[in-house]
């Protein structure tokens, strides 16, 4: 598929909770010369923790519908969320590996006049920035050096399961640290950096208090190194850290998605970053 | 009342047949439990859940809270020396639990939201205003703004039985 265009998959949490992530992504990729196509009529990825846990066949069929929308555009899919990336990547993998399964799913899609041929590739935007765009080109776009000291949060479904995704080391990932440091910011080492935020697997919706025990464990470790911001690549982790701190007072670490951080480094006006939507006030 | 658990010899086979082929490979080393953030502060033990599945302790597993303690973080999967697809197996067992009617009300709500708008969360007026102020469309160009797409999305959920499974919209 063409390398200079992508079908932008929005998902739920970015457009409906943190639209600054969507806006910054659109501006960022436009500035890099990409043609971002709309996936008109796409829906939830669907969410791996809930929908897949309830019924894998439904999860697969709805994911295939989203993939078919991108395929019609002749583009690979660009995701801005670990959950969307996880669902669409894994569903795509299953469908591409198993023609009988693809046939079964297509029988369902036929009911709504659609078909998926298994041709698209599902990408995470941070992977595209790191591996396709690269440091040289990216640095040319940065106009505002950032000197923040930050705690990066990879989240689980960006790199794992590594056996399927082949993006980074399972125990010592480095992509996100490097991406952040390209802006001039410093990625601080902190204890238990690879730990989950607690939101995934349907845990946040089912038992929010329990999910917060994960979040607090991470916040403690980030606070211990005096992180100024949390940098994430997933609106759902973003929501868990940002809204979670309403119930976990005393940490006050603002949360910034990598697309927003890059928007900032590129000198986008702050009004394009949607920081008003954040619970924990972002003071730059 | 007795605490004796009656194993169902077909249970492990049903997991394996549904795609959890690696269930048999587990040799109970406990690396998964040691890696699990969920088990740090609770009595949830990944190794034990896998053992119960091997033994066919279906009536113990399917109604349990344990089944829903996993955040699908994949820490265990990355480290399992036997390449047991722990998360996939947990998800298959969750599917079986839901089939049996074990679905938390909070989860049912998320399912209903999908049936209604094709998304897990709705858009508030305030959010729409913020979107517009940033130069975005009030609604994202998704099922939320497209009745035909929403009807298709919902039809798929009807066909797969999802609508019935979560007890209708
Ligand atoms: S790490 Fe793997 S082999 Fe060891 S107990 Fe867990 S599932 Fe079994
Ligand atoms: S994937 Fe689930 S069981 Fe495995 S370590 Fe993470 S929370 Fe624990």
């Amino acid at each position: 598929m063409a390398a200079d265009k992508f079908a932008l998959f929005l998902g739920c949490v970015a457009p409906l909770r943190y639209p600054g992530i969507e806006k910054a992504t659109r501006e960022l990729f436009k500035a890099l010369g990409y043609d971002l196509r709309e996936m008109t009529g796409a829906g939830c990825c669907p969410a791996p923790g809930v929908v897949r846990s309830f019924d894998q066949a439904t999860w697969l069929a709805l994911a295939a519908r989203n993939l078919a929308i991108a395929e019609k555009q002749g583009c690979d899919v660009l995701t801005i969320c670990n959950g969307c990336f996880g669902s669409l990547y894994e569903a795509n993998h299953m469908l591409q590996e198993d023609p009988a399964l693809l046939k079964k799913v297509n029988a369902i899609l036929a009911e709504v006049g659609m078909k998926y041929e298994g041709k698209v590739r599902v990408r995470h935007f941070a992977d595209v920035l790191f591996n396709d765009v690269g440091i040289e080109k990216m640095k040319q776009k940065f106009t505002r050096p950032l000197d923040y000291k930050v705690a990066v949060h990879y989240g689980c479904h960006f790199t794992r399961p590594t056996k399927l995704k082949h993006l980074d080391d399972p125990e010592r990932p480095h992509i996100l640290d490097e991406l952040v440091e390209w802006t001039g910011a410093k990625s601080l080492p902190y204890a238990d950096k690879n730990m989950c935020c607690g939101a995934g697997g349907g845990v946040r919706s089912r038992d929010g208090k329990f999910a917060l025990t994960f979040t607090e464990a991470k916040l403690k470790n980030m606070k211990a190194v005096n992180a100024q911001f949390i940098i994430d690549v997933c609106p759902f982790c973003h929501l868990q850290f940002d809204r979670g701190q309403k119930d976990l007072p005393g940490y006050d670490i603002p949360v910034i998605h990598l697309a927003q951080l890059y928007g900032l480094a590129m000198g986008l006006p702050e009004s394009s970053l949607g920081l008003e939507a954040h619970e924990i006030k972002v003071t730059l | 009342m007795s605490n004796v658990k009656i194993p169902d010899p077909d249970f492990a086979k049903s997991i394996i047949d549904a795609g959890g082929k690696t269930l048999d490979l587990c040799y109970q080393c406990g690396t998964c439990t040691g890696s699990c953030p969920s088990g740090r502060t609770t009595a949830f033990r990944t190794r034990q859940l896998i053992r119960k599945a091997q033994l066919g302790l279906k009536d113990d597993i399917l109604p349990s809270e344990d089944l829903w303690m996993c955040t699908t973080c994949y820490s265990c999967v990355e480290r399992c020396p036997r390449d047991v697809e722990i998360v996939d197996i947990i998800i298959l067992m969750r599917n079986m639990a839901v089939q049996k009617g074990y679905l938390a009300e909070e989860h049912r709500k998320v399912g209903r939201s999908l049936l209604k708008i094709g998304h897990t969360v709705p858009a508030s007026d305030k959010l729409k205003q913020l979107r517009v102020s940033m130069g975005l469309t009030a609604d994202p160009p998704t099922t939320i703004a497209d009745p035909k797409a929403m009807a298709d999305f919902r039809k798929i959920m009807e066909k797969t039985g999802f609508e019935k499974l979560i007890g209708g919209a």
Side-chain angles (χ1 to χ4, degrees), chain A residues 12 15-17 22-23 41-42 44 51-54 56 58 90 111 157 160-162 171 192 196 201-202 205-206 210, chain B residues 38 40 42 65 71-74 78-79 94-95 104 106-107 114 118-122 127 131 134 141-143 159-160:
Chain A
C12 301
L16 298 170
R17 288 292 176 267
E22 174 184 340
K23 178 70 177 173
C44 180
V51 183
R52 191 178 188 183
S53 290
F54 304 166
Q56 186 151 274
T58 304
E90 288 193 40
E111 299 272 349
H157 298 209
R160 300 191 289 237
T162 53
E171 301 289 344
D192 238 340
C196 166
S205 51
R206 189 181 158 108
F210 177 52
Chain B
S38 213
R40 289 187 197 175
T42 69
E65 282 296 315
T71 63
T72 70
C73 78
Y74 287 96
E78 292 296 340
R79 293 178 184 168
R94 286 181 176 184
N95 278 201
E106 295 77 9
H107 278 169
L114 282 170
H119 286 290
T120 51
V121 290
L127 184 275
R131 289 185 57 90
M134 298 170 67
T142 62
T143 44
K159 289 286 159 201
T160 61

Short mmCIF file of all heavy atoms in Angstrom, two decimals, chain A residues 12 15-17 22-23 41-42 44 51-54 56 58 90 111 157 160-162 171 192 196 201-202 205-206 210, chain B residues 38 40 42 65 71-74 78-79 94-95 104 106-107 114 118-122 127 131 134 141-143 159-160:
data_model
loop_
_atom_site.label_atom_id
_atom_site.label_comp_id
_atom_site.label_asym_id
_atom_site.label_seq_id
_atom_site.Cartn_x
_atom_site.Cartn_y
_atom_site.Cartn_z
N CYS A 12 -12.51 5.49 20.01
CA CYS A 12 -13.53 6.13 20.85
C CYS A 12 -12.97 7.23 21.74
O CYS A 12 -13.48 8.34 21.79
CB CYS A 12 -14.21 5.10 21.75
SG CYS A 12 -15.02 3.74 20.87
N PRO A 15 -11.34 10.81 20.01
CA PRO A 15 -12.28 11.82 19.48
C PRO A 15 -13.35 12.24 20.48
O PRO A 15 -13.84 13.36 20.41
CB PRO A 15 -12.92 11.12 18.28
CG PRO A 15 -12.78 9.67 18.55
CD PRO A 15 -11.48 9.53 19.28
N LEU A 16 -13.70 11.35 21.42
CA LEU A 16 -14.85 11.63 22.29
C LEU A 16 -14.48 12.06 23.71
O LEU A 16 -15.34 12.41 24.50
CB LEU A 16 -15.79 10.42 22.32
CG LEU A 16 -16.38 10.04 20.95
CD1 LEU A 16 -17.09 8.69 20.98
CD2 LEU A 16 -17.33 11.13 20.46
N ARG A 17 -13.20 12.01 24.04
CA ARG A 17 -12.76 12.47 25.36
C ARG A 17 -11.60 13.46 25.28
O ARG A 17 -11.54 14.42 26.02
CB ARG A 17 -12.36 11.26 26.24
CG ARG A 17 -13.54 10.42 26.71
CD ARG A 17 -14.42 11.20 27.69
NE ARG A 17 -15.61 10.45 28.08
CZ ARG A 17 -16.79 10.52 27.47
NH1 ARG A 17 -16.95 11.33 26.43
NH2 ARG A 17 -17.82 9.82 27.89
N GLU A 22 -6.60 13.82 18.63
CA GLU A 22 -6.99 13.70 17.22
C GLU A 22 -6.45 14.89 16.41
O GLU A 22 -5.84 14.72 15.35
CB GLU A 22 -8.52 13.63 17.09
CG GLU A 22 -8.99 13.66 15.65
CD GLU A 22 -10.53 13.70 15.51
OE1 GLU A 22 -11.24 13.32 16.47
OE2 GLU A 22 -11.00 14.10 14.44
N LYS A 23 -6.70 16.09 16.94
CA LYS A 23 -6.30 17.30 16.21
C LYS A 23 -4.78 17.34 16.00
O LYS A 23 -4.29 17.58 14.90
CB LYS A 23 -6.77 18.53 17.02
CG LYS A 23 -6.38 19.85 16.44
CD LYS A 23 -7.13 20.18 15.15
CE LYS A 23 -6.75 21.56 14.65
NZ LYS A 23 -7.36 21.80 13.33
N GLY A 41 -17.58 6.33 8.82
CA GLY A 41 -18.47 5.26 9.26
C GLY A 41 -17.81 4.18 10.10
O GLY A 41 -18.45 3.21 10.50
N ALA A 42 -16.50 4.34 10.38
CA ALA A 42 -15.85 3.37 11.27
C ALA A 42 -16.46 3.49 12.67
O ALA A 42 -17.05 4.50 13.01
CB ALA A 42 -14.35 3.64 11.32
N CYS A 44 -16.11 1.64 16.95
CA CYS A 44 -15.15 1.18 17.96
C CYS A 44 -14.29 0.09 17.34
O CYS A 44 -14.73 -0.64 16.45
CB CYS A 44 -15.95 0.63 19.14
SG CYS A 44 -14.97 0.00 20.50
N VAL A 51 -15.17 -6.01 24.44
CA VAL A 51 -15.87 -6.76 23.38
C VAL A 51 -15.22 -8.12 23.14
O VAL A 51 -15.91 -9.14 23.05
CB VAL A 51 -15.94 -5.94 22.07
CG1 VAL A 51 -16.72 -6.71 21.02
CG2 VAL A 51 -16.57 -4.58 22.32
N ARG A 52 -13.89 -8.15 23.08
CA ARG A 52 -13.25 -9.45 22.84
C ARG A 52 -13.49 -10.41 24.00
O ARG A 52 -13.63 -11.61 23.81
CB ARG A 52 -11.74 -9.25 22.62
CG ARG A 52 -11.08 -10.50 22.09
CD ARG A 52 -9.60 -10.30 21.83
NE ARG A 52 -9.04 -11.46 21.15
CZ ARG A 52 -7.77 -11.61 20.85
NH1 ARG A 52 -6.91 -10.65 21.13
NH2 ARG A 52 -7.34 -12.69 20.25
N SER A 53 -13.54 -9.85 25.21
CA SER A 53 -13.80 -10.70 26.38
C SER A 53 -15.23 -11.24 26.37
O SER A 53 -15.48 -12.30 26.91
CB SER A 53 -13.60 -9.91 27.68
OG SER A 53 -12.23 -9.63 27.88
N PHE A 54 -16.16 -10.48 25.80
CA PHE A 54 -17.55 -10.94 25.79
C PHE A 54 -17.75 -11.98 24.69
O PHE A 54 -18.35 -13.01 24.89
CB PHE A 54 -18.52 -9.79 25.54
CG PHE A 54 -18.42 -8.64 26.51
CD1 PHE A 54 -19.03 -7.42 26.24
CD2 PHE A 54 -17.72 -8.76 27.71
CE1 PHE A 54 -18.96 -6.36 27.12
CE2 PHE A 54 -17.64 -7.70 28.60
CZ PHE A 54 -18.25 -6.49 28.31
N GLN A 56 -15.58 -13.19 21.13
CA GLN A 56 -14.50 -13.00 20.18
C GLN A 56 -14.98 -12.93 18.73
O GLN A 56 -14.43 -12.18 17.92
CB GLN A 56 -13.47 -14.12 20.34
CG GLN A 56 -12.25 -13.91 19.49
CD GLN A 56 -11.00 -14.54 20.09
OE1 GLN A 56 -10.32 -13.93 20.90
NE2 GLN A 56 -10.72 -15.75 19.67
N THR A 58 -17.75 -11.60 17.59
CA THR A 58 -18.26 -10.25 17.34
C THR A 58 -17.10 -9.27 17.20
O THR A 58 -17.07 -8.42 16.30
CB THR A 58 -19.17 -9.79 18.51
OG1 THR A 58 -20.21 -10.74 18.67
CG2 THR A 58 -19.74 -8.41 18.25
N GLU A 90 -4.26 -7.46 15.90
CA GLU A 90 -4.44 -8.89 16.18
C GLU A 90 -5.54 -9.50 15.34
O GLU A 90 -5.42 -10.63 14.86
CB GLU A 90 -4.68 -9.11 17.67
CG GLU A 90 -3.39 -8.90 18.45
CD GLU A 90 -3.48 -9.40 19.88
OE1 GLU A 90 -4.07 -10.47 20.10
OE2 GLU A 90 -2.95 -8.71 20.76
N GLU A 111 -23.55 -9.38 4.74
CA GLU A 111 -24.90 -8.95 5.16
C GLU A 111 -25.04 -7.43 5.10
O GLU A 111 -26.14 -6.91 5.04
CB GLU A 111 -25.17 -9.39 6.61
CG GLU A 111 -25.13 -10.89 6.80
CD GLU A 111 -26.48 -11.54 6.55
OE1 GLU A 111 -27.47 -10.80 6.44
OE2 GLU A 111 -26.52 -12.78 6.46
N HIS A 157 -0.33 -2.61 24.97
CA HIS A 157 -0.63 -3.16 23.65
C HIS A 157 0.09 -2.46 22.49
O HIS A 157 -0.16 -2.76 21.34
CB HIS A 157 -2.14 -3.19 23.42
CG HIS A 157 -2.88 -4.06 24.41
ND1 HIS A 157 -4.05 -4.70 24.13
CD2 HIS A 157 -2.58 -4.43 25.67
CE1 HIS A 157 -4.45 -5.40 25.16
NE2 HIS A 157 -3.57 -5.24 26.13
N ARG A 160 3.40 -5.19 23.04
CA ARG A 160 3.10 -6.58 23.39
C ARG A 160 1.79 -7.06 22.76
O ARG A 160 0.88 -6.24 22.63
CB ARG A 160 3.02 -6.70 24.92
CG ARG A 160 4.33 -6.31 25.58
CD ARG A 160 4.37 -6.65 27.06
NE ARG A 160 3.51 -5.84 27.88
CZ ARG A 160 3.92 -5.09 28.93
NH1 ARG A 160 5.19 -5.07 29.27
NH2 ARG A 160 3.06 -4.41 29.63
N PRO A 161 1.66 -8.32 22.44
CA PRO A 161 2.69 -9.35 22.54
C PRO A 161 3.78 -9.14 21.47
O PRO A 161 3.48 -9.02 20.30
CB PRO A 161 1.93 -10.66 22.30
CG PRO A 161 0.68 -10.27 21.58
CD PRO A 161 0.37 -8.87 21.97
N THR A 162 5.03 -9.11 21.93
CA THR A 162 6.14 -8.79 21.03
C THR A 162 6.33 -9.87 19.95
O THR A 162 6.87 -9.60 18.88
CB THR A 162 7.47 -8.61 21.79
OG1 THR A 162 7.69 -9.75 22.60
CG2 THR A 162 7.42 -7.38 22.67
N GLU A 171 11.28 -6.47 27.48
CA GLU A 171 11.60 -6.05 28.85
C GLU A 171 12.19 -4.64 28.90
O GLU A 171 12.04 -3.94 29.88
CB GLU A 171 12.60 -7.03 29.49
CG GLU A 171 12.10 -8.48 29.57
CD GLU A 171 10.98 -8.70 30.59
OE1 GLU A 171 10.77 -7.84 31.46
OE2 GLU A 171 10.30 -9.75 30.50
N ASP A 192 9.61 0.08 37.67
CA ASP A 192 8.43 -0.59 37.13
C ASP A 192 7.81 0.13 35.93
O ASP A 192 6.59 0.23 35.80
CB ASP A 192 7.36 -0.68 38.22
CG ASP A 192 6.97 -2.12 38.49
OD1 ASP A 192 7.22 -2.96 37.62
OD2 ASP A 192 6.43 -2.38 39.57
N CYS A 196 1.52 -1.93 33.62
CA CYS A 196 0.22 -1.53 33.05
C CYS A 196 -0.42 -0.41 33.88
O CYS A 196 -0.19 -0.32 35.09
CB CYS A 196 -0.63 -2.80 33.10
SG CYS A 196 -2.37 -2.63 32.85
N GLY A 201 -8.34 -4.66 29.74
CA GLY A 201 -8.98 -5.95 30.03
C GLY A 201 -10.38 -5.82 30.61
O GLY A 201 -10.89 -6.76 31.20
N GLY A 202 -10.98 -4.64 30.46
CA GLY A 202 -12.32 -4.44 31.04
C GLY A 202 -12.28 -4.16 32.53
O GLY A 202 -13.32 -4.08 33.18
N SER A 205 -13.75 -0.50 33.66
CA SER A 205 -15.22 -0.38 33.67
C SER A 205 -15.86 -1.28 34.72
O SER A 205 -16.88 -0.95 35.29
CB SER A 205 -15.80 -0.65 32.29
OG SER A 205 -15.32 -1.86 31.77
N ARG A 206 -15.23 -2.41 35.00
CA ARG A 206 -15.84 -3.36 35.92
C ARG A 206 -15.51 -3.05 37.38
O ARG A 206 -16.35 -3.18 38.27
CB ARG A 206 -15.35 -4.77 35.58
CG ARG A 206 -16.07 -5.86 36.33
CD ARG A 206 -15.51 -7.21 35.95
NE ARG A 206 -15.81 -8.19 36.99
CZ ARG A 206 -16.70 -9.15 36.85
NH1 ARG A 206 -17.37 -9.28 35.74
NH2 ARG A 206 -16.91 -10.00 37.83
N PHE A 210 -10.12 -1.01 41.74
CA PHE A 210 -9.00 -1.94 41.58
C PHE A 210 -8.04 -1.43 40.50
O PHE A 210 -6.82 -1.46 40.67
CB PHE A 210 -9.54 -3.34 41.26
CG PHE A 210 -8.47 -4.35 41.02
CD1 PHE A 210 -7.45 -4.52 41.95
CD2 PHE A 210 -8.46 -5.13 39.87
CE1 PHE A 210 -6.44 -5.46 41.74
CE2 PHE A 210 -7.46 -6.06 39.65
CZ PHE A 210 -6.46 -6.23 40.58
N SER B 38 -1.65 -7.73 38.66
CA SER B 38 -2.94 -7.91 39.30
C SER B 38 -2.81 -8.73 40.59
O SER B 38 -3.53 -8.49 41.56
CB SER B 38 -3.86 -8.64 38.33
OG SER B 38 -5.16 -8.22 38.50
N ARG B 40 -0.28 -8.76 42.57
CA ARG B 40 0.58 -8.16 43.60
C ARG B 40 -0.19 -7.79 44.86
O ARG B 40 0.34 -7.86 45.96
CB ARG B 40 1.21 -6.87 43.07
CG ARG B 40 2.27 -7.10 42.04
CD ARG B 40 2.92 -5.77 41.74
NE ARG B 40 3.66 -5.86 40.49
CZ ARG B 40 4.26 -4.83 39.93
NH1 ARG B 40 4.21 -3.63 40.49
NH2 ARG B 40 4.92 -4.99 38.80
N THR B 42 -3.57 -8.71 45.35
CA THR B 42 -4.78 -9.51 45.52
C THR B 42 -4.41 -10.99 45.59
O THR B 42 -3.24 -11.35 45.44
CB THR B 42 -5.73 -9.34 44.31
OG1 THR B 42 -5.12 -9.96 43.17
CG2 THR B 42 -6.01 -7.88 44.01
N GLU B 65 -14.67 -14.12 40.10
CA GLU B 65 -14.16 -12.77 39.90
C GLU B 65 -12.77 -12.83 39.27
O GLU B 65 -12.38 -11.96 38.50
CB GLU B 65 -14.06 -12.03 41.24
CG GLU B 65 -15.39 -11.51 41.77
CD GLU B 65 -16.02 -10.46 40.86
OE1 GLU B 65 -15.31 -9.55 40.41
OE2 GLU B 65 -17.23 -10.58 40.60
N THR B 71 -5.77 -7.58 33.31
CA THR B 71 -5.87 -6.38 32.47
C THR B 71 -5.36 -6.64 31.06
O THR B 71 -5.23 -5.71 30.27
CB THR B 71 -5.06 -5.21 33.06
OG1 THR B 71 -3.68 -5.59 33.08
CG2 THR B 71 -5.52 -4.85 34.47
N THR B 72 -5.05 -7.88 30.75
CA THR B 72 -4.47 -8.28 29.46
C THR B 72 -3.17 -7.52 29.17
O THR B 72 -2.94 -7.07 28.05
CB THR B 72 -5.45 -8.11 28.27
OG1 THR B 72 -5.67 -6.72 27.99
CG2 THR B 72 -6.79 -8.77 28.54
N CYS B 73 -2.34 -7.40 30.21
CA CYS B 73 -1.10 -6.63 30.05
C CYS B 73 0.00 -7.42 29.33
O CYS B 73 0.99 -6.85 28.89
CB CYS B 73 -0.59 -6.16 31.40
SG CYS B 73 0.24 -7.43 32.36
N TYR B 74 -0.16 -8.71 29.23
CA TYR B 74 0.78 -9.59 28.51
C TYR B 74 2.14 -9.76 29.18
O TYR B 74 3.05 -10.33 28.58
CB TYR B 74 1.01 -9.13 27.05
CG TYR B 74 -0.16 -9.39 26.14
CD1 TYR B 74 -1.10 -8.41 25.87
CD2 TYR B 74 -0.33 -10.65 25.53
CE1 TYR B 74 -2.18 -8.65 25.03
CE2 TYR B 74 -1.41 -10.90 24.69
CZ TYR B 74 -2.33 -9.90 24.44
OH TYR B 74 -3.39 -10.12 23.61
N GLU B 78 4.77 -12.64 27.83
CA GLU B 78 6.13 -12.35 27.39
C GLU B 78 7.16 -13.25 28.07
O GLU B 78 8.20 -13.54 27.51
CB GLU B 78 6.49 -10.89 27.69
CG GLU B 78 5.72 -9.87 26.86
CD GLU B 78 6.01 -9.95 25.35
OE1 GLU B 78 7.04 -10.50 24.97
OE2 GLU B 78 5.15 -9.46 24.58
N ARG B 79 6.84 -13.68 29.29
CA ARG B 79 7.84 -14.41 30.08
C ARG B 79 7.61 -15.91 30.19
O ARG B 79 8.50 -16.62 30.66
CB ARG B 79 7.90 -13.81 31.49
CG ARG B 79 8.43 -12.40 31.48
CD ARG B 79 8.45 -11.82 32.86
NE ARG B 79 8.87 -10.42 32.82
CZ ARG B 79 8.75 -9.59 33.84
NH1 ARG B 79 8.23 -10.01 34.98
NH2 ARG B 79 9.14 -8.34 33.73
N ARG B 94 -13.49 -16.23 29.38
CA ARG B 94 -14.45 -15.14 29.61
C ARG B 94 -15.63 -15.26 28.65
O ARG B 94 -16.77 -15.07 29.04
CB ARG B 94 -13.76 -13.78 29.41
CG ARG B 94 -12.84 -13.40 30.54
CD ARG B 94 -12.21 -12.03 30.27
NE ARG B 94 -11.37 -11.61 31.38
CZ ARG B 94 -10.77 -10.42 31.44
NH1 ARG B 94 -10.89 -9.56 30.46
NH2 ARG B 94 -10.04 -10.09 32.50
N ASN B 95 -15.32 -15.58 27.40
CA ASN B 95 -16.40 -15.78 26.42
C ASN B 95 -17.37 -16.86 26.91
O ASN B 95 -18.57 -16.73 26.81
CB ASN B 95 -15.84 -16.20 25.06
CG ASN B 95 -15.33 -15.03 24.21
OD1 ASN B 95 -15.20 -15.14 23.00
ND2 ASN B 95 -15.02 -13.91 24.83
N ALA B 104 -20.98 -8.71 34.16
CA ALA B 104 -21.23 -7.64 35.14
C ALA B 104 -22.09 -6.55 34.52
O ALA B 104 -21.99 -6.27 33.32
CB ALA B 104 -19.90 -7.05 35.59
N GLU B 106 -21.86 -3.39 34.75
CA GLU B 106 -21.03 -2.32 34.17
C GLU B 106 -20.58 -2.71 32.75
O GLU B 106 -20.47 -1.86 31.88
CB GLU B 106 -19.78 -2.06 35.02
CG GLU B 106 -20.05 -1.51 36.41
CD GLU B 106 -20.52 -2.56 37.40
OE1 GLU B 106 -20.49 -3.79 37.08
OE2 GLU B 106 -20.95 -2.17 38.50
N HIS B 107 -20.31 -3.98 32.56
CA HIS B 107 -19.89 -4.43 31.24
C HIS B 107 -21.06 -4.46 30.26
O HIS B 107 -20.91 -4.14 29.08
CB HIS B 107 -19.21 -5.80 31.33
CG HIS B 107 -17.77 -5.70 31.73
ND1 HIS B 107 -17.02 -6.78 32.10
CD2 HIS B 107 -16.95 -4.63 31.83
CE1 HIS B 107 -15.79 -6.38 32.39
NE2 HIS B 107 -15.72 -5.08 32.24
N LEU B 114 -22.26 0.37 22.70
CA LEU B 114 -21.84 -0.04 21.36
C LEU B 114 -23.05 -0.25 20.44
O LEU B 114 -23.04 0.14 19.28
CB LEU B 114 -21.02 -1.33 21.41
CG LEU B 114 -19.58 -1.17 21.85
CD1 LEU B 114 -18.96 -2.52 22.12
CD2 LEU B 114 -18.78 -0.44 20.79
N GLY B 118 -22.13 2.76 18.53
CA GLY B 118 -20.94 2.19 17.89
C GLY B 118 -19.65 2.55 18.59
O GLY B 118 -18.55 2.27 18.09
N HIS B 119 -19.76 3.20 19.73
CA HIS B 119 -18.59 3.59 20.52
C HIS B 119 -18.80 3.20 21.98
O HIS B 119 -19.93 3.03 22.43
CB HIS B 119 -18.38 5.11 20.45
CG HIS B 119 -17.82 5.58 19.14
ND1 HIS B 119 -16.53 5.32 18.75
CD2 HIS B 119 -18.38 6.30 18.14
CE1 HIS B 119 -16.32 5.87 17.55
NE2 HIS B 119 -17.43 6.47 17.16
N THR B 120 -17.69 3.15 22.71
CA THR B 120 -17.79 2.78 24.12
C THR B 120 -18.24 3.95 25.00
O THR B 120 -18.72 3.74 26.09
CB THR B 120 -16.42 2.29 24.65
OG1 THR B 120 -15.44 3.28 24.30
CG2 THR B 120 -16.04 0.96 24.04
N VAL B 121 -18.01 5.18 24.52
CA VAL B 121 -18.40 6.36 25.31
C VAL B 121 -19.17 7.35 24.42
O VAL B 121 -18.89 7.46 23.23
CB VAL B 121 -17.16 7.07 25.92
CG1 VAL B 121 -16.54 6.22 27.02
CG2 VAL B 121 -16.12 7.40 24.86
N PRO B 122 -20.12 8.08 25.01
CA PRO B 122 -20.89 9.05 24.23
C PRO B 122 -20.17 10.40 24.14
O PRO B 122 -19.17 10.62 24.81
CB PRO B 122 -22.18 9.20 25.04
CG PRO B 122 -21.77 8.92 26.46
CD PRO B 122 -20.60 7.98 26.40
N LEU B 127 -18.06 18.52 24.90
CA LEU B 127 -17.02 17.93 24.07
C LEU B 127 -17.18 18.38 22.62
O LEU B 127 -16.21 18.74 21.96
CB LEU B 127 -17.13 16.40 24.21
CG LEU B 127 -16.16 15.44 23.55
CD1 LEU B 127 -16.52 15.11 22.12
CD2 LEU B 127 -14.71 15.89 23.64
N ARG B 131 -14.54 20.34 20.27
CA ARG B 131 -14.13 19.85 18.94
C ARG B 131 -14.26 20.96 17.90
O ARG B 131 -13.34 21.21 17.12
CB ARG B 131 -14.96 18.63 18.52
CG ARG B 131 -14.64 17.34 19.30
CD ARG B 131 -15.42 16.14 18.75
NE ARG B 131 -15.14 15.94 17.34
CZ ARG B 131 -14.16 15.18 16.86
NH1 ARG B 131 -13.37 14.51 17.68
NH2 ARG B 131 -13.95 15.08 15.56
N MET B 134 -11.77 23.67 17.98
CA MET B 134 -10.44 23.29 17.49
C MET B 134 -10.42 23.09 15.98
O MET B 134 -9.40 22.68 15.42
CB MET B 134 -10.01 21.97 18.14
CG MET B 134 -9.90 22.07 19.64
SD MET B 134 -9.68 20.44 20.35
CE MET B 134 -8.08 20.10 19.71
N PRO B 141 -16.19 11.64 12.29
CA PRO B 141 -16.84 11.05 11.10
C PRO B 141 -17.02 9.54 11.23
O PRO B 141 -16.61 8.78 10.35
CB PRO B 141 -15.86 11.41 9.98
CG PRO B 141 -14.53 11.47 10.66
CD PRO B 141 -14.79 12.00 12.04
N THR B 142 -17.63 9.10 12.30
CA THR B 142 -17.74 7.66 12.59
C THR B 142 -19.21 7.26 12.62
O THR B 142 -20.07 8.01 12.17
CB THR B 142 -17.09 7.35 13.95
OG1 THR B 142 -17.82 8.07 14.96
CG2 THR B 142 -15.64 7.78 14.00
N THR B 143 -19.48 6.10 13.19
CA THR B 143 -20.86 5.62 13.33
C THR B 143 -21.75 6.66 14.02
O THR B 143 -22.95 6.71 13.79
CB THR B 143 -20.90 4.34 14.20
OG1 THR B 143 -20.05 4.55 15.33
CG2 THR B 143 -20.43 3.13 13.44
N LYS B 159 -26.22 -10.25 13.91
CA LYS B 159 -25.88 -11.51 13.23
C LYS B 159 -25.00 -12.40 14.09
O LYS B 159 -25.11 -13.62 14.06
CB LYS B 159 -25.14 -11.22 11.91
CG LYS B 159 -26.03 -10.64 10.84
CD LYS B 159 -26.94 -11.69 10.24
CE LYS B 159 -28.14 -11.00 9.59
NZ LYS B 159 -29.31 -11.88 9.41
N THR B 160 -24.07 -11.79 14.83
CA THR B 160 -23.17 -12.61 15.64
C THR B 160 -23.81 -13.01 16.97
O THR B 160 -23.21 -13.74 17.75
CB THR B 160 -21.85 -11.87 15.95
OG1 THR B 160 -22.18 -10.69 16.69
CG2 THR B 160 -21.10 -11.50 14.69
#
